[in-house]
Amino acid sequence: MAGLDKDTPLPTAITLHRKSRILEIAFDDGSRFELPFEFLRVYSPSAEVRGHGPGQEVLQLGKREVEVLGLEPVGNYALKPSFSDGHDSGLYSWDYLYMLGRDQATLWQTYLDRLAQEGGSRDSKDVPPPAPKGGCGHHH
């Protein structure tokens, strides 16, 4: 997880818009971002999504309809959302949320390009069920 950079603006307002599935966040430098739940989910800072190093990122599929069921503050530096697909291990620090807002258009296009490249879908109905847990799924 990214730490809190001392130069990162601090949030002044955080609003969860459940109907439109948007997290609205305003910062003390005047910036205001509307981050769709799907965008937050596919760019979760968790190891499950980002991996443990460059090149280990896991493309997130079928997250178009994902909801944020809960949003917990973590200390004075982050938020921890709980998503409707069970994902709740990402800590979104203020600097990470600010970066997501600032770079949203580029990041979203990168995600859409990667989905197209890998034949993935944003819709859960088009995504095969996950492999059973407990083993790598290969038959040796």
Side-chain angles (χ1 to χ4, degrees):
M1 181 197 78
L4 184 59
D5 184 312
K6 65 180 176 47
D7 298 323
T8 297
L10 297 173
T12 56
I14 299 168
T15 309
L16 201 59
H17 298 282
R18 291 185 191 275
K19 203 173 262 186
S20 56
R21 290 200 302 273
I22 286 177
L23 174 72
E24 182 180 352
I25 186 164
F27 287 89
D28 63 7
D29 69 346
S31 298
R32 188 180 70 76
F33 305 115
E34 293 185 357
L35 305 173
F37 293 173
E38 178 186 15
F39 177 71
L40 289 169
R41 177 62 182 83
V42 301
Y43 277 102
S44 170
S46 71
E48 176 189 326
V49 173
R50 293 180 67 177
H52 294 281
Q56 295 184 4
E57 299 84 5
V58 177
L59 181 62
Q60 300 299 298
L61 304 172
K63 304 302 179 191
R64 185 191 302 265
E65 302 296 324
V66 76
E67 304 280 343
V68 172
L69 303 178
L71 196 60
E72 294 175 46
V74 178
N76 291 320
Y77 66 93
L79 293 175
K80 181 182 176 192
S82 300
F83 292 93
S84 57
D85 64 355
H87 183 72
D88 66 357
S89 61
L91 292 184
Y92 294 72
S93 63
W94 304 145
D95 53 349
Y96 190 71
L97 285 164
Y98 191 88
M99 181 279 300
L100 286 178
R102 183 192 64 212
D103 300 341
Q104 182 175 0
T106 303
L107 290 168
W108 187 246
Q109 191 57 56
T110 299
Y111 172 68
L112 294 178
D113 292 347
R114 189 161 170 224
L115 267 182
Q117 217 172 22
E118 298 190 22
S121 174
R122 293 173 56 205
D123 297 305
S124 55
K125 66 179 177 40
D126 299 330
V127 177
K133 294 202 187 268
C136 66
H138 291 107
H139 299 284
H140 298 277

